[in-house]
Amino acid sequence: MSHDYLYETPLLDYRTPAIQGLIARRGWTDLSYEDRIGAAYDFVRNDILFGYNADDALPASCVLADGYGQCNTKATLLMALLRALEVSCRFHGFTIDKGLQRGVVPELIYPLAPRNIIHSWVEVQHAGAWLDLEGFILDEGVLTALQTAFPERDTLCAYGAGTDDLQKPDVAWIGQSTYIQKTGINRDFGVCDSPDTFYAEHRQLTGLRGLIYRRVIRHWMNRRVGQMREGVIPVILGGAASLVPASSHPDATEAA
């Protein structure tokens, strides 16, 4: 397998008409290498709203058609756009503690959610180094709503955010790594050439639980995200102790 990190895969289907048409309309191929990264990054961050798709392992063209995504599906779309723009990139897989999703996951079903949730970010080759791109997950509307709701907080690990600098997180592309869920990470699976390789080994919510998630729970979560974007932040039980990373709790243990 080539390691130029530019090849197409079933999930990174960047030769599809929808993706090629987007790039042509936006004129991204006329940009410099650094600006190509920024254009694709900003598009995935804000034009693709934060939300929950039917599956992690969706082709990039399907994520684009949905118009929304979470860490894993947005990462797939961003990688496809970058490779279409001849920007070398790779996939880095993790898990995050489910506490990061608290507030988005309804309290009624939160105890039933898996403790460790599959997470990913994109690594992009730039200026002779590999940079981490994770700050594209929350769109500006959701991030602004959280900043407004918690004006005195720096650390927040809930509502889809995991940061120690909520008011000024490193989410803008300025030629450096970006993060917005990093503090929720509890296991590192390392890098892969593509999301296809990762999801061939790591899947979540299969069988009946997966069916219930796809048919019911994710729609419930998406409605809650929509409310957050409008400034209505769901109440989380447990107060301030529920807003910090699991590792900050006295009884926290390392993920298996």
Side-chain angles (χ1 to χ4, degrees), residues 21 41 48 50 84 139 169 177-178 208 227 240 242 244:
Y41 178 90
I48 304 299
F50 177 50
D139 60 79
S177 295
T178 70
L208 180 59
Q227 292 171 345
S242 299
V244 297

Side-chain angles (χ1 to χ4, degrees), residues 3 10 28 32 35 49 51 59 66 78 88 96 101 107 110 117 133 140 153 163 178-179 188 222 227 242 246 248:
H3 283 273
W28 289 343
S32 67
D35 287 344
L49 298 178
D66 278 353
L78 178 57
S88 295
I96 53 174
Q101 302 286 6
E107 290 290 292
Y110 179 77
I117 299 172
L133 299 183
E140 191 66 30
R153 291 199 67 87
T163 178
T178 70
Y179 303 101
D188 186 342
N222 284 338
Q227 292 171 345
S242 299
S248 299

Side-chain angles (χ1 to χ4, degrees), residues 56 71-72 94-95 116-120 198-199 202-204:
D56 286 330
C71 56
N72 301 313
F94 306 89
T95 62
N116 304 309
I117 299 172
I118 289 175
H119 175 61
S120 61
F198 182 79
Y199 295 127
H202 303 284
R203 298 298 295 272
Q204 200 156 17

Side-chain angles (χ1 to χ4, degrees), residues 5 26 55 60-61 63-65 74 112 120 131 136-137 169 206 215-216 250 255:
Y5 300 103
R26 300 281 177 131
D55 197 282
S61 59
V63 183
L64 179 61
K74 280 196 169 194
L112 304 177
S120 61
L131 303 180
F136 56 80
I137 300 168
T206 58
R215 296 288 181 84
V216 179

Side-chain angles (χ1 to χ4, degrees), residues 38 70 78 82 87 102 147 154 171 218 244 252:
Q70 31 82 350
L78 178 57
L82 291 172
V87 174
R102 195 165 190 178
Q147 291 168 330
D154 291 320
V171 295
R218 75 180 183 95
V244 297

Side-chain angles (χ1 to χ4, degrees), residues 157-224:
C157 192
Y159 301 105
T163 178
D164 287 330
D165 193 357
L166 177 63
Q167 302 306 318
K168 295 181 180 180
D170 296 322
V171 295
W173 168 249
I174 55 172
Q176 300 174 8
S177 295
T178 70
Y179 303 101
I180 195 58
Q181 292 188 345
K182 185 179 181 180
T183 62
I185 290 172
N186 57 19
R187 184 173 182 181
D188 186 342
F189 290 111
V191 298
C192 300
D193 286 8
S194 70
D196 308 59
T197 303
F198 182 79
Y199 295 127
E201 297 185 20
H202 303 284
R203 298 298 295 272
Q204 200 156 17
L205 293 176
T206 58
L208 180 59
R209 293 176 71 184
L211 180 64
I212 295 171
Y213 168 78
R214 289 190 297 272
R215 296 288 181 84
V216 179
I217 295 174
R218 75 180 183 95
H219 298 294
W220 193 355
M221 293 167 65
N222 284 338
R223 285 194 293 271
R224 290 167 73 89

